[in-house]
Amino acid sequence: MATASAGKVRHPKGRAIIPTEQSGLTWLTAFLDSSVGAKVVVALGGIGLALFAIFHMLGNLKIFQGPDALNTYAFFLKHDLGALLWLARGGLLGIFLLHVVLALRLKWRTAAARPVGYAYPGHVQARVAARTMALTGIVVGLFILFHLAHFTFGWVHQAEQDGRLISYLDLRDAHGRHDVYTMVLAGFRTTWIAALYLLAQVALFVHLIHGIPSAFQTFGLQSRRTMEIIRGLGWLTAGVILLGNVLIVTAVWLGWVGTS
Amino acid sequence: MILDAKVPSGPLAEKWTRFKREQRLISPANKAKYTVIVVGTGLAGASAAASLAELGYKVLVFCFHDTPRRAHSIAAQGGINAAKNYRNDGDSIFRLFYDTIKGGDFRSREANVYRLAEVSGNIIDQCVAQGVPFAREYGGLLETRSFGGAQLQRTFYCRGQTGQQLLLGAYQALCRQISYGTVKMFPRCEMLDLVVIDGRARGIITRHLVTGKIEAFAADAVVLATGGYSNVFYLSTNAIGCNVSATYRAYKRGAFFANPCFTQIHPTCIPVSGEHQSKLTLMSESLRNDGRVWVPKRREDVAKHPNDIPEADRDYFLERKYPSYGNLAPRDIASRAAKEVCDEGRGVGPSGRGVYLDLADAIRRQGIDRIREKYGNLFDMYERITGENAYTQPMRIYPAPHYTMGGLWVNYELMSNLPGLFVIGEANFSDHGANRLGASALMQGLADGYFILPYTLTHWLAGVKPGLPPLDHPEFRRCAGEAQQRLKRLLAIGGQKTAVEFHRQLGHILWDYVGMSRSRDGLLRAIDQIRTLRQQFWENVRVPGSDTDLNMALERANRVADFLEFAELMALDALRREESCGCHFRVEYQTPDGEAKRDDERFCHVAAWEYAGPDKEPIRHEEPLVFETVKLTERSYK
Amino acid sequence: MKVTLHIWRQKSPADQGRFVTYSLDQVSPDMSFLEMLDMLNEQLIQQGEEPVAFEHDCREGICGSCAMMINGLAHGPERGTTTCQLHMRSFPDGAEIYVEPWRARAFPILKDLVCDRSALDRIIQAGGYVSVGTGGAPDANCLPVPKTAQDKAMDAAQCIGCGACVAACPNASAMLFLAAKVSHLAHLPQGQPERHERVRKMLAQHDREGFGHCTNIGECEAACPKEISVEHIAQLNRDYIAASLLSLVR
């Protein structure tokens, strides 16, 4: 709004103009640049990653069926899927990057939106999960990198077999397949690794109990009537993932699995 | 001097049509050559500014708030009248006109009021088109309710926030024009003076409230929509910022001030709780639809808890005195009746200045949920302010200054006696006579802004050449210099008392002597006391800070200084109007049963005051009120 | 009662600003918070000091002028209440009260507790209206509106533009303000013709003003003196997604 004396008063920023003639690219840029559009992509990505986490967890539960089941499942994923595997890996990586990059950009802008904070902090109904999304997100993100380094690339730790150290990737079972079962046992029997995994599961849980309902709100699917259901769904999903993953880690760690 | 109201000839119902048929026009291309200044962004100002800009004029809009959405129109709760007859209860333009004229105790201009009733329906149409969420029936059509002073249900409403929704509608229309660049908006700019060149209003002087910069703006016409002056009483239902300065400065530059003594005291406000109080809060009059007003019959019962006083010991005084209108008697009558019972010592509450407004019957009859739906926000507000729960015990209410029917004199075309100066909304005197009916202020503000001014202003502008006087014209420089001088003078006094203290003292004087009942002796005393107080103010006020930045104490002092002068004019007008009419109740002139007694022989006119110079008594002009259609009767609500 | 106030004092936009402590005696519990500040200001003026600048006008909770963080909460501890309607009975005797201005990049501080909220006006100017001119509107009853839609619209339309949502939001987002206007007009048939264009323009302006984004925390809803629900933000998101997708295929 124009002011009589521009002197000390801030100049208006002027009107935001939406281009009427749009190419697909300008549309995409505008969409990703808008705070809601970017959020929608972050939410979509988040839902995708959460779904992956569920299937990942379910698959890993095969550990309770014994070495053969798990190793067969792993072999199936790695060899029978063929090109699909790389498609899935590429897709996951893409979703992950979009989710992280856009979320961090939003966070960056938000930090700029309040350069000076309040001296007396206060809040009414903001839950811890909601306020720590970026933090838990970063923890989970770093953990995923660690997880890849640990099990996919075998850089972090080595398994001990017959008194000598052997790379995770070189473990073989009776059928000559990659012995994922022994690898998991080797990993989670190490206290610091198990503790790290458990910690990360808690961070993921906290991230998801806000993230899942929040995604529904972002898609505009939340209303006063559905709010409780959606919140419940968030808790349920996050809880199931937490429970499954924690069960695997603790079971191995405490020796419930793999000691015959 | 006899003032010419320029009312078109012909039968009452055809005057406005005739005006529109015969008015001069300006071609769309030429409209852009005219600049119009609008001061104030309440219902009248915002609607006028938006409508004028839509027509193609260059419009400059000023308000002292940080945004044009905050003007006090926003606080109107109850509703807006319109003669739509959606209820099939016999409403018509004529009935709304007649109710308004009668409610105003026959002290308003017939033709203006008829025109108001005529355009009332268009206002509802316009606001609905803008997206104002009026209350609806389940069938999707508009709902209405009843209001004081009418036996029909013609009041449209948006919960308890009608004023807010209407103002936001007008604000959004204004925002649309701002985005088109047809309106230039100047928020945080207070008008300090009107610039008159060769007898014609040519611009204004403003102060930017953040930078303190004094600036001049020129225009082909100036529209004042600066609201009323109830704050002269210090405690009123008006916002803290409401003031008389714009209209009073215009008066000092030659515009006539009409009927300044017509000030409405609203019956249903929350009573004063202590000296610290800065304003009074209104409880919507719509509560009187379902509420019953009472006090104990016996004085010794006033201290008892209201729920302990049996039905037989309660005096439902409005129902007793005015059986046909009962609790819906017009505001002036209800207020005076409340004052009477309190004067008898039967008032309730800690100060003894309060009566009960009881919704217990309605809650029993309609259920608590229905009442909560209708008035929930009012009950919550009552509880926040008083700490009492009105669902379980009656509210306490007491009258408080609320609206001013008086204002700058305008003719039928809404132009003051100064050519080029138009005055709309509460700032003018026109449509409500000596008392305004509930839900009519919103109607008048929007009627003026949307549907009357765009026609009459065009008609007038068509008769003048477009073109602005240079801003370095000596008159602009003189006015700007005087405004600056005055601020410097206020800052230089360095006395002992704050402007607020003077304002509070002024309020006491006016409430005691120029309030709900007035007498010759009291008014003379008031004038005397106001003069003394004004003198003390200019010797002993303390205003800190400087005039080059945001200084709210300075703004306040500058406004109080105007109130101190204006109050005297108000008392003088009350003194010279030797009759009782509407809200103006002179104890010397009453019927045997204590009702207002008009003197149509001597006072069936508008008193318009002309400024004669400092310390000189202003000159009283009269505009005779000619009633061609209605017959003057004693106003009865019994 | 007695209170100790720590009030943010800042002479000008460029000034650093700091907290100044005042103690105030003989405060009545029936006073509103602003009347308590009035009392402080009267004392300051009499001592020859500059009073605390704060915005206020109607003092009945509807104009949206008053704006302050009281002990870290926008408009203070009472829910659904503006600062002017907050009364001192909400505080214990001897209370320590911190009073700060709204803080957001889009709301630069002008002096003490006064900030510039014109960014909100510019969001409305970007499209928060129905483009109808004066005159020519059809009869009001030509356009039936279901009562439920009307009620929803009214819930959203109650926004007073105070900016508490921005102040309370950890992200300094004005999404609730924006959503209230979008949702108000989206629920009414009058708002339909411009519905999609409106939401895109208003959101673009919102982002351009430098407000943060919404992370669905819900502090805005708790701070809103009119208790406008975050479900209106869901409405805004829904409308924005639909508008964007439709603009791509149309």
Side-chain angles (χ1 to χ4, degrees), chain B residues 244-522:
Chain B
V244 75
S245 291
T247 47
Y248 190 71
R249 303 285 171 90
Y251 158 77
K252 283 177 91 172
R253 295 287 173 200
F256 292 175
F257 213 111
N259 298 337
C261 77
F262 287 171
T263 55
Q264 181 171 73
I265 313 291
H266 195 291
T268 55
C269 300
I270 299 175
V272 179
S273 70
E275 187 70 2
H276 58 262
Q277 197 147 356
S278 59
K279 79 154 270 161
L280 296 171
T281 305
L282 177 78
M283 301 307 292
S284 169
E285 189 170 334
S286 59
L287 287 167
R288 287 203 278 149
N289 280 330
D290 289 311
R292 301 178 70 193
V293 178
W294 62 276
V295 287
K297 273 188 182 154
R298 293 189 309 260
R299 247 187 263 180
E300 45 284 16
D301 286 348
V302 294
K304 277 193 190 165
H305 191 280
N307 295 350
D308 296 339
I309 301 175
E311 199 62 28
D313 290 342
R314 299 176 175 190
D315 176 14
Y316 294 93
F317 56 93
L318 286 177
E319 295 169 30
R320 171 170 58 81
K321 289 170 84 169
Y322 308 101
S324 72
Y325 279 69
N327 295 300
L328 288 175
R331 290 174 175 177
D332 53 337
I333 287 176
S335 293
R336 212 149 44 231
K339 180 179 188 301
E340 240 166 58
V341 293
C342 292
D343 288 346
E344 287 165 18
R346 296 192 284 146
V348 296
S351 61
R353 297 264 132 206
V355 300
Y356 290 123
L357 174 64
D358 200 338
L359 277 93
D361 276 357
I363 291 175
R364 253 193 308 278
R365 224 174 30 244
Q366 306 174 25
I368 195 160
D369 290 334
R370 178 85 182 111
I371 294 297
R372 186 170 281 135
E373 188 192 337
K374 278 204 242 180
Y375 309 115
N377 63 330
L378 299 173
F379 279 58
D380 293 348
M381 187 159 82
Y382 183 80
E383 186 167 3
R384 270 200 288 272
I385 293 171
T386 61
E388 290 172 12
N389 180 353
Y391 291 106
T392 57
Q393 70 181 82
M395 295 179 179
R396 283 175 297 112
I397 54 165
Y398 197 66
H402 175 58
Y403 185 87
T404 55
M405 284 71 68
L408 289 181
W409 183 87
V410 289
N411 61 20
Y412 186 73
E413 295 164 18
L414 301 180
M415 188 168 82
S416 78
N417 58 303
L418 285 181
L421 178 67
F422 290 77
V423 190
I424 56 175
E426 191 181 350
N428 74 25
F429 87 105
S430 69
D431 299 346
H432 305 296
N435 174 54
R436 179 176 66 77
L437 290 184
S440 284
L442 303 182
M443 172 171 72
Q444 187 223 337
L446 290 179
D448 287 359
Y450 283 134
F451 296 112
I452 301 172
L453 188 74
Y455 295 87
T456 60
L457 183 67
T458 300
H459 173 65
W460 185 80
L461 283 175
V464 298
K465 269 213 185 86
L468 304 180
L471 285 177
D472 57 358
H473 188 284
E475 203 50 32
F476 274 106
R477 273 195 283 183
R478 186 172 75 92
C479 292
E482 282 178 20
Q484 186 92 62
Q485 277 305 312
R486 185 167 135 132
L487 297 177
K488 296 257 186 255
R489 199 176 142 206
L490 281 169
L491 287 166
I493 297 167
Q496 303 294 320
K497 280 166 70 176
T498 65
V500 175
E501 285 177 87
F502 282 103
H503 196 176
R504 195 180 286 134
Q505 263 179 293
L506 175 67
H508 280 309
I509 299 172
L510 291 180
W511 183 244
D512 288 345
Y513 300 119
V514 202
M516 268 185 286
S517 69
R518 302 152 174 188
S519 71
R520 189 185 149 75
D521 287 349

Side-chain angles (χ1 to χ4, degrees), chain A residues 94-128:
Chain A
I95 292 174
F96 178 76
L97 286 179
L98 262 182
H99 184 77
V100 171
V101 169
L102 285 179
L104 285 179
R105 195 186 62 167
L106 283 169
K107 182 72 197 166
W108 187 266
R109 287 187 184 175
T110 280
R114 177 167 294 132
V116 182
Y118 292 106
Y120 192 109
H123 58 88
V124 184
Q125 61 186 41
R127 294 176 309 165
V128 180

Side-chain angles (χ1 to χ4, degrees), chain A residues 1 8-19 22-24 27 30-31 33-37 39-40 103 106-107 109-110 112-127 130-131 133 210 213-225 227, chain C residues 13 19 69 71-73 79 98 100-106 108 116 118-119 121-122 125 166-172 175 200-201 203-219 221-222 229-231 233-234 236-238 240-241 244-245 247-248:
Chain A
M1 200 172 292
K8 291 177 197 166
V9 182
R10 197 172 53 121
H11 281 289
K13 295 196 172 79
R15 283 205 299 151
I17 293 156
I18 310 256
Q22 284 185 338
S23 69
W27 180 89
F31 188 76
D33 192 52
S34 86
S35 55
V36 175
K39 240 155 46 103
V40 168
L106 283 169
K107 182 72 197 166
R109 287 187 184 175
T110 280
R114 177 167 294 132
V116 182
Y118 292 106
Y120 192 109
H123 58 88
V124 184
Q125 61 186 41
R127 294 176 309 165
R131 283 182 290 132
M133 277 305 271
H210 180 70
S214 184
F216 281 90
Q217 166 82 355
T218 298
F219 300 144
L221 299 173
Q222 185 155 290
S223 74
R224 206 166 293 175
R225 279 190 209 101
M227 193 171 288
Chain C
F19 278 100
M69 285 307 252
N71 282 350
L73 301 175
R79 209 170 166 120
Y98 282 80
E100 295 174 74
W102 286 171
R103 293 215 185 267
R105 188 170 65 139
D116 176 6
S118 56
D121 282 318
R122 289 190 292 274
Q125 285 160 24
V166 179
C169 176
N171 304 327
M175 212 54 89
R200 295 180 72 217
K201 283 184 176 167
L203 180 69
Q205 187 66 34
H206 168 275
D207 292 351
R208 194 171 154 77
E209 293 292 345
F211 291 108
H213 72 295
C214 171
T215 53
N216 312 322
I217 292 173
E219 271 306 286
E221 170 183 81
S229 159
V230 289
E231 68 179 344
I233 300 183
L236 163 85
N237 294 339
R238 191 153 64 227
Y240 180 77
I241 295 169
S244 289
L245 293 179
S247 82
L248 192 62

Side-chain angles (χ1 to χ4, degrees), chain C residues 29-148:
Chain C
D30 285 333
M31 277 183 180
S32 72
F33 194 84
L34 296 186
E35 282 163 357
M36 182 273 296
L37 287 181
D38 284 344
M39 184 177 159
L40 170 70
N41 277 347
E42 290 290 283
Q43 292 181 7
L44 289 177
I45 294 174
Q46 266 155 356
Q47 291 159 17
E49 289 176 47
E50 270 212 60
V52 179
F54 62 91
E55 280 191 287
H56 62 98
D57 198 29
C58 78
R59 300 214 175 182
E60 47 190 278
I62 193 78
C63 76
S65 293
C66 54
M68 46 190 93
M69 285 307 252
I70 300 166
N71 282 350
L73 301 175
H75 290 307
E78 300 286 330
R79 209 170 166 120
T81 304
T82 52
T83 305
C84 64
Q85 295 271 287
L86 176 68
H87 282 67
M88 292 311 290
R89 66 177 83 91
S90 303
F91 297 90
D93 194 8
E96 294 254 338
I97 304 173
Y98 282 80
V99 189
E100 295 174 74
W102 286 171
R103 293 215 185 267
R105 188 170 65 139
F107 290 170
I109 293 171
L110 299 175
K111 184 174 185 175
D112 297 343
L113 304 173
V114 179
C115 62
D116 176 6
R117 287 171 282 181
S118 56
L120 299 182
D121 282 318
R122 289 190 292 274
I123 292 179
I124 300 292
Q125 285 160 24
Y129 44 75
V130 177
S131 296
V132 289
T134 307
D139 186 88
N141 263 351
C142 281
L143 205 61
V145 181
K147 191 174 179 339
T148 45

Side-chain angles (χ1 to χ4, degrees), chain B residues 131-147:
Chain B
V132 170
F134 281 118
R136 300 266 169 179
E137 310 269 8
Y138 279 98
L141 300 186
L142 291 160
E143 192 174 22
T144 52
R145 63 183 171 200
S146 46
F147 234 73

